[in-house]
Amino acid sequence: MTNPRVRKIADRIQVTVAEMLERRIKDPRLGFVTVTDVRVSGDTQHASIFYTVFGEEEQVAASAAALESAKGLIRSEVGKQLGTRHVPTLEFIHDALPENARHLEELLEKVRESDAQVAAAAAGATYAGDADPYRKPHVEDDEDE
């Protein structure tokens, strides 16, 4: 479980960075960036900022370069907003979770289609032998004793 103070700092950094990207950073390379998560080290010296970019691989690369060049400006604003003695170093990490989720959804859809084909093929099928192929022990009545 994370320290509540560290979680509060991470939340404040996430809001500050998102507002900066939306309002103050005017880099044309910056695409449609969404800050998905911020993780701050226990000593609050380092912040990892996870983000996604809507678009193709070129937009992802251009946005990464824009974030790297704006890192100083963003860090100074984070320092003003936090009001702490030490401002954490910022590291921007492209969050691959949405792409992985999309890939998993595609795989699940293929499996659903395959299951539907198997179910359709098995719809009119009958057992090769008896419906219950297991032998049952002969049960005698208890009245004989």
Side-chain angles (χ1 to χ4, degrees), residues 44-106:
T44 68
Q45 295 296 308
H46 182 75
S48 298
I49 302 167
F50 294 88
Y51 68 94
T52 60
V53 180
F54 183 75
E56 301 300 318
E57 201 61 40
E58 306 88 52
Q59 284 102 338
V60 173
S63 295
L67 288 171
E68 202 58 38
S69 69
K71 189 185 283 188
L73 178 65
I74 294 171
R75 185 169 184 236
S76 67
E77 183 62 28
V78 165
K80 288 178 194 170
Q81 294 293 325
L82 289 178
T84 57
R85 186 184 320 176
H86 298 289
V87 179
T89 58
L90 304 182
E91 176 188 18
F92 289 96
I93 301 170
H94 180 256
D95 193 353
L97 187 66
E99 289 84 13
N100 293 343
R102 189 175 318 113
H103 179 66
L104 284 175
E105 283 297 324
E106 290 169 0

Side-chain angles (χ1 to χ4, degrees), residues 2 5 13 23 27 32 34 38 43 52 55 72 81 90 104 108-109 119 122 125 127 131-132 134 138:
T2 59
R5 177 177 172 269
I13 290 172
R23 297 193 179 105
D27 194 324
F32 187 71
T34 303
V38 174
D43 60 359
T52 60
Q81 294 293 325
L90 304 182
L104 284 175
L108 286 172
E109 186 58 35
Y127 292 106
D132 188 4
Y134 299 103
H138 181 68

